[in-house]
């Protein structure tokens, strides 16, 4: 139950000095700080959202933090995942996060779970914590976290980000609260919502949303203020505007009585990011494409459906840039018909997801083509390492 039981909890002289600015707040005080010390919070993910979450929960004095992640630090993470540093590239994110947390607050107990959260381990892991902060970036894990929290009666502090927009709320605060399935009764079709790896994200955005999540967690633990339960907070960084939507429980939502196969539920089948739709179209590997490009290219055309800023970073020689949005809105269809007349059409993007969507859209106009599996990212890794990865 929250707030935590503080009987027997004491603050050391170092902790009194460390948290002095909390202690002089009437809303927090000694009792509130003891609640923070007695509390345990599980953070699922140490990426853009998990980084500020963990930094500020540690700094606030949360006594026990659990971290679930199985990824390693990559150079592309450092633009927004501020808990990690350059010296940790190639090393486990959970170890990097723990080292930074203990620098901020050596009194914090940090428990690490270097694994993917699954239907087999979620209940066991989450059951040992007072609340969960969802820092994930995919629908299967969000549904899994939600359902496990509902089954265990744990609050779920939610956030999500994309490009310049973010949202946050609190799910399952009590038995009358909405949960994630009230916001998304059904997952969107695979590939409909691009990942940050394909769509991009401004680096400061996860900091803003992650700090909002941390604020909600602190309020829940200390029992102060009004939480976002029942309200979805939307943030537009370009306009610097916040707005709210009411979120209520749906009386007709299905009862959550067990954990399921969430990959199957979301229709992604365990595929790699960017590849969810590739199974719907014919495809070739980048190695096969290289063989074709090394031969007579008069009978083929290669289209790059990425955005112009991406094409400025790197490209496959000979590709014609036609962004996906021009294909989906139909403005580029006639041009592609002319380019592909009497030729074999091949389409690529960064990872393979957008090019598959382009081919599905083109098929509705009677244009057949072949997807380049893995896109330019696979080209860089398997064919030409001089092509920049991003």
């Amino acid at each position: 139950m929250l707030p935590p039981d503080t009987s027997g909890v004491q603050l050391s002289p170092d902790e009194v000095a460390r948290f002095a600015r909390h202690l002089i707040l009437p809303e927090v005080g000694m009792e509130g700080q003891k609640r923070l010390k007695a509390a345990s919070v599980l953070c699922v993910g140490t990426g853009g959202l998990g980084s500020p979450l963990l930094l500020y929960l540690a700094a606030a004095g949360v006594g026990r933090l659990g971290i679930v992640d199985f990824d390693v630090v990559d150079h592309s993470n450092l633009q927004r995942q501020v808990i990690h540093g350059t010296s940790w590239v190639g090393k486990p994110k959970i170890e990097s996060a723990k080292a930074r947390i203990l620098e901020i607050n050596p009194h914090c107990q940090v428990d690490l779970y270097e694994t993917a959260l699954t239907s087999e381990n979620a209940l066991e892991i989450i059951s040992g914590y007072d609340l969960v902060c969802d820092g994930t970036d995919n629908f299967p894990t969000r549904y899994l976290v939600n359902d496990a929290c509902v089954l265990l009666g744990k609050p779920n502090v939610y956030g999500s980000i994309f490009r310049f927009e973010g949202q946050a709320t609190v799910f399952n605060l009590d038995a009358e609260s909405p949960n994630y399935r009230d916001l998304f009764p059904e997952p969107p079709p695979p590939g409909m919502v691009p990942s940050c790896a394909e769509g991009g994200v401004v680096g400061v955005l996860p900091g803003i949303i992650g700090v909002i999540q941390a604020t909600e967690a602190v309020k829940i633990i200390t029992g102060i203020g009004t939480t976002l339960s029942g309200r979805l907070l939307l943030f537009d960084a370009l306009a610097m505007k916040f707005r709210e939507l009411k979120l209520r429980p749906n009386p007709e939502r299905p009862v959550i009585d067990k954990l399921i196969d969430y990959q199957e539920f979301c229709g992604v089948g365990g595929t790699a990011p960017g590849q969810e739709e590739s199974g719907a179209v014919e495809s070739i590997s980048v190695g096969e494409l290289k063989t074709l490009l090394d031969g007579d290219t008069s009978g083929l055309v290669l289209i790059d459906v990425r955005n112009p800023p991406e094409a400025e970073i790197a490209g496959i020689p000979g590709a014609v840039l036609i962004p996906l949005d021009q294909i989906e809105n139909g403005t580029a269809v006639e041009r592609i018909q002319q380019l592909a007349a009497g030729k074999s059409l091949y389409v690529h993007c960064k990872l393979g997801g957008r090019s598959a969507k382009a081919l599905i859209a083109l098929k509705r106009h009677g244009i057949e083509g072949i997807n380049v599996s893995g896109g330019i990212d696979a080209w860089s890794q398997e064919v030409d390492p001089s092509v920049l990865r991003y």
Side-chain angles (χ1 to χ4, degrees), residues 64-318:
R64 177 173 168 244
L65 291 172
I67 310 173
V68 182
D69 205 317
F70 61 95
D71 201 2
V72 298
V73 180
D74 183 81
H75 278 102
S76 65
N77 301 148
L78 303 180
Q79 162 253 16
R80 64 202 177 283
Q81 300 181 17
V82 294
I83 202 168
H84 311 298
T86 302
S87 63
W88 283 93
V89 169
K91 301 174 183 177
K93 285 185 177 180
I94 57 173
E95 296 289 351
S96 169
K98 180 176 181 177
R100 185 70 182 112
I101 288 169
L102 294 179
E103 286 184 3
I104 293 172
N105 180 6
H107 304 283
C108 182
Q109 176 183 331
V110 184
D111 296 332
L112 305 181
Y113 306 89
E114 191 172 8
T115 182
L117 196 70
T118 68
S119 297
E120 287 68 41
N121 63 23
L123 295 177
E124 179 181 358
I125 292 174
I126 292 174
S127 64
Y129 293 86
D130 296 316
L131 62 88
V132 176
C133 290
D134 185 348
T136 62
D137 61 358
N138 64 87
F139 287 97
T141 311
R142 288 171 182 164
Y143 279 104
L144 169 60
V145 170
N146 175 79
D147 292 2
C149 286
V150 170
L151 289 172
L152 294 168
K154 308 286 184 179
N156 174 14
V157 183
Y158 164 80
S160 71
I161 52 170
F162 181 66
R163 293 178 58 81
F164 296 92
E165 299 179 350
Q167 54 185 234
T169 189
V170 174
F171 293 125
N172 205 50
L173 185 62
D174 54 46
E176 305 303 317
S177 300
N179 66 57
Y180 186 69
R181 289 178 180 269
D182 294 305
L183 180 60
F184 291 105
E186 298 289 339
M192 182 63 68
V193 181
S195 67
C196 289
E198 288 212 301
V201 60
V202 65
V204 296
L205 177 64
I208 295 168
I209 300 301
V211 168
I212 289 172
Q213 289 180 270
T215 304
E216 292 300 284
V218 168
K219 287 159 54 183
I220 293 169
I221 293 167
T222 55
I224 63 175
T226 302
T227 73
L228 283 172
S229 179
R231 298 179 292 150
L232 181 66
L233 184 67
L234 305 175
F235 175 61
D236 181 341
L238 282 180
M240 194 51 70
K241 288 184 177 179
F242 287 90
R243 61 191 181 97
E244 283 186 10
L245 298 177
K246 291 291 184 182
L247 187 60
R248 296 182 176 88
N250 179 2
E252 298 181 358
R253 72 184 178 201
V255 175
I256 299 169
D257 56 8
K258 64 179 179 179
L259 301 184
I260 60 176
D261 184 334
Y262 294 91
Q263 296 287 332
E264 180 181 357
F265 175 66
C266 294
V268 299
T271 54
Q275 299 293 327
E276 292 89 346
E277 289 192 341
S278 61
V281 296
E282 184 181 353
S283 65
I284 63 169
S285 69
V286 290
E288 291 171 314
L289 177 65
K290 177 66 163 58
T291 299
L292 292 173
L293 294 179
D294 286 344
D296 182 4
T297 60
S298 61
L300 67 85
V301 61
L302 175 64
I303 292 178
D304 177 356
V305 300
R306 297 175 299 153
N307 294 318
E310 294 178 85
E312 292 178 7
I313 300 171
I316 297 176

Side-chain angles (χ1 to χ4, degrees), residues 371-387:
N371 191 36
V372 180
S373 182
I376 196 171
D377 192 62
W379 181 273
S380 176
Q381 295 182 77
E382 301 173 27
V383 175
D384 186 359
S386 69
V387 172

